[in-house]
């Protein structure tokens, strides 16, 4: 019998996903937190882990869980079940080790279809998401990231984490004005009109900045 662990902090989502997946004949276990999910996966060694990305106090904390499971339980195939439709987030999940990605507002049959694909060792992405991820990865500005200095990469990384000018200045031990000038130069380099656009750009390319 195929074993599945579903990791999600929403009881209704857990029950619904469990019911759908048990109808396929699988044995399904639930975990309501990142810690519980990690322990359950290591203990039960499921064939498939279905993981949400957002948990209380840990936005996108599921990405870290996927990375840890990939190292400690490499035979477990992972798929994401999330509300995040941003192609940058999808790309990060796939890079972390997820094989499939399903949106929570997709038809119920999509979760089962994705699970069956992932269980068989085949990737699963909704057609719209697959196109969006492909377009993101084709963004020519990704190449420009390789020309950034160490400080410029750090500025973008901190922006992606939601830090403001003052916090970035403290992290880099530089003046507030130095940070604003650096962000202005980055906006000009990437053809972005505002700090908000620069922050969104940093979030989309967070994986490329490491």
């Amino acid at each position: 019998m195929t074993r599945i662990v579903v990791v999600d902090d929403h009881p209704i989502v857990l029950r619904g996903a469990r019911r759908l997946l048990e109808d396929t004949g699988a044995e399904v276990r639930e975990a309501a937190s990142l810690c519980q999910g990690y322990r359950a996966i290591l203990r039960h060694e499921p064939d498939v882990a279905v993981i949400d990305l957002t948990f209380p106090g840990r936005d996108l904390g599921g990405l870290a869980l996927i990375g840890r499971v990939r190292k400690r339980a490499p035979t477990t195939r992972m798929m994401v079940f999330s509300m995040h439709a941003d192609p940058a987030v999808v790309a990060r999940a796939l890079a972390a080790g997820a094989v499939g990605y399903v949106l929570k507002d997709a038809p119920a049959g999509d979760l089962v279809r994705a699970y069956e694909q992932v269980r068989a060792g085949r990737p699963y992405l909704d057609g719209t998401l697959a196109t969006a991820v492909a377009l993101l990865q084709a963004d020519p500005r990704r190449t420009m990231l390789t020309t950034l200095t160490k400080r410029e990469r750090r500025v973008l990384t901190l922006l992606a984490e939601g830090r403001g000018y003052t916090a970035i200045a403290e992290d880099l031990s530089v003046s507030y004005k130095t940070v604003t000038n650096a962000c202005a130069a980055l906006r000009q380099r990437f053809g972005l009109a505002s700090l908000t656009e620069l922050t969104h750009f940093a979030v989309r390319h967070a994986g490329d900045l490491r």
Side-chain angles (χ1 to χ4, degrees):
M1 179 181 291
T2 302
R3 298 184 303 276
I4 305 172
V5 169
V6 181
V7 188
D8 197 299
D9 67 307
H10 292 88
I12 294 176
V13 173
L14 275 176
R15 286 196 296 270
R18 180 170 192 160
R19 188 176 302 113
L20 285 169
L21 295 170
E22 283 182 335
D23 284 345
T24 69
E27 174 188 304
V28 183
R29 297 179 183 274
E30 302 174 2
S33 71
L34 292 169
C35 184
Q36 289 178 17
Y38 184 60
R39 290 174 179 171
I41 291 170
L42 293 188
R43 179 179 179 182
H44 301 293
E45 299 181 345
D47 301 283
V48 177
V50 180
I51 301 172
D52 190 12
L53 294 183
T54 301
F55 291 80
R58 292 290 303 278
D59 189 32
L60 298 184
L63 290 175
L65 176 59
I66 291 170
R68 293 177 69 188
V69 171
R70 184 182 188 181
K71 293 177 181 178
R72 292 292 304 277
T75 60
T76 294
R77 299 187 176 108
M78 292 172 287
M79 55 180 279
V80 172
F81 189 39
S82 172
M83 287 300 298
H84 285 285
D86 186 333
V89 174
V90 179
R92 289 177 65 186
L94 297 177
V99 182
Y101 198 108
V102 186
L103 295 176
K104 287 185 176 180
D105 59 1
D110 284 12
L111 176 63
V112 174
R113 191 175 303 110
Y115 153 68
E116 291 175 341
Q117 287 280 96
V118 171
R119 179 188 59 179
R122 296 189 294 269
Y124 179 90
L125 264 185
D126 168 81
T128 302
L129 282 181
T131 300
V133 171
L135 290 174
L136 173 69
Q137 294 175 337
D139 187 345
R141 286 181 294 193
R142 293 185 70 192
T143 303
M144 295 173 63
L145 291 173
T146 62
T147 67
L148 297 179
T149 65
K150 184 177 180 179
R151 174 177 289 183
E152 289 171 332
R153 295 173 74 87
R154 183 60 181 164
V155 168
L156 286 177
T157 297
L158 293 172
L159 282 175
E161 294 175 357
R163 307 287 187 88
Y165 286 151
T166 300
I168 294 174
E170 291 176 354
D171 184 278
L172 298 178
S173 299
V174 298
S175 70
Y176 182 94
K177 186 173 180 58
T178 296
V179 175
T180 60
N181 288 341
C183 288
L186 287 167
R187 291 200 306 270
Q188 182 176 6
R189 179 180 300 187
F190 292 107
L192 303 170
S194 65
L195 177 61
T196 298
E197 287 189 12
L198 181 63
T199 300
H200 288 169
F201 174 78
V203 170
R204 287 198 302 274
H205 295 282
D208 299 312
L209 295 169
R210 295 193 179 96

